[in-house]
Amino acid sequence: MIKVALTGNIASGKSVVQKIILEQGFVVLDTDDCAHELLASNKLVYKHFGTCDRSELAKIVFSDKKKLSLLEDILHPLIKDKIVNFFNENSNEKVVFVAVPQLFETGFDKLFDKIIFVSAPYDLRLKRLISRNGYDEKYARLRLNSQMDENLKIPKCDMVINNDSTFEELKNRTKECLELLL
């Protein structure tokens, strides 16, 4: 089995690429979904933050790096377990994909055979965050700047899908990437 990580910074288009990969018949685990499930009833998160609500937590942790680190210390080991279980459950598949936004920050990159990075220009990602999430510009920049710069991540990846054009172009680029992978 080839274990492929799909990563990219916030608002780069990972979710869209993920849907395209699913449409091609591959199995994909979304670690954002895992994190949301784990947050829903996590007593340790509630104990430290007084809430398990994602939007409330985001406001708390993205303005305080120590609190962000604490939240990650709670969630990341649980997410890693979910990834390992996903690999075990899908061991009969030729290729599996896991969408991991913070792949390098967590050290999860070591779990994978190949890494695909979805890239988009900073200004385009800023625009998407403001439009998609309704963030004001200051908060959107805070979210963007909380992640490792993509220029530091790209050299560690096997393939890059540039998402700076139309949906059709993104779909074509994703299919080309899958063909190269297989």
Side-chain angles (χ1 to χ4, degrees):
M1 169 185 7
I2 301 171
K3 301 169 188 168
V4 183
L6 177 65
T7 194
N9 285 359
I10 191 169
S12 63
K14 284 181 310 297
S15 297
V16 178
V17 170
Q18 179 180 325
K19 287 177 187 169
I20 296 166
I21 291 170
L22 281 166
E23 288 170 1
Q24 299 301 307
F26 296 99
V27 291
V28 181
L29 175 69
D30 185 332
T31 60
D32 270 350
D33 290 345
C34 294
H36 300 165
E37 289 170 23
L38 292 167
L39 274 177
S41 61
N42 192 295
K43 291 176 183 171
L44 197 53
V45 170
Y46 191 83
K47 176 184 171 187
H48 287 285
F49 298 95
T51 183
C52 287
D53 180 83
R54 287 178 38 227
S55 60
E56 287 179 34
L57 279 169
K59 288 176 185 167
I60 294 167
V61 302
F62 288 109
S63 61
D64 185 331
K65 289 187 183 211
K66 286 182 181 177
K67 289 181 181 175
L68 177 60
S69 183
L70 174 60
L71 182 63
E72 290 171 341
D73 288 346
I74 295 168
L75 292 180
H76 289 169
L78 301 172
I79 293 169
K80 184 178 181 182
D81 290 344
K82 294 260 187 193
I83 294 170
V84 171
N85 288 338
F86 174 75
F87 290 155
N88 292 334
E89 291 166 5
N90 292 283
S91 61
N92 60 330
E93 297 287 335
K94 182 180 175 187
V95 182
V96 295
F97 293 84
V98 180
V100 189
Q102 293 189 328
L103 181 71
F104 298 106
E105 295 89 337
T106 58
F108 292 173
D109 55 304
K110 295 165 188 66
L111 299 172
F112 296 92
D113 303 309
K114 298 285 182 186
I115 301 170
I116 299 172
F117 191 87
V118 181
S119 176
Y122 182 93
D123 289 341
L124 181 56
R125 292 186 296 120
L126 177 65
K127 212 161 131 181
R128 287 176 182 162
L129 261 185
I130 292 168
S131 170
R132 178 186 81 188
N133 295 57
Y135 296 156
D136 63 37
E137 185 174 337
K138 183 180 178 185
Y139 186 68
R141 286 185 186 280
L142 182 68
R143 292 292 301 262
L144 287 169
N145 296 334
S146 72
Q147 294 184 311
M148 181 190 299
D149 188 288
E150 73 172 30
N151 292 321
L152 299 173
K153 295 178 181 183
I154 289 173
K156 301 176 181 185
C157 299
D158 299 290
M159 299 175 206
V160 177
I161 299 172
N162 288 309
N163 183 15
D164 58 359
S165 187
T166 65
F167 172 74
E168 280 306 312
E169 187 61 33
L170 179 62
K171 195 171 188 175
N172 290 336
R173 290 173 181 173
T174 302
K175 287 180 180 180
E176 288 171 11
C177 183
L178 292 173
E179 288 172 15
L180 289 172
L181 182 67
L182 305 173

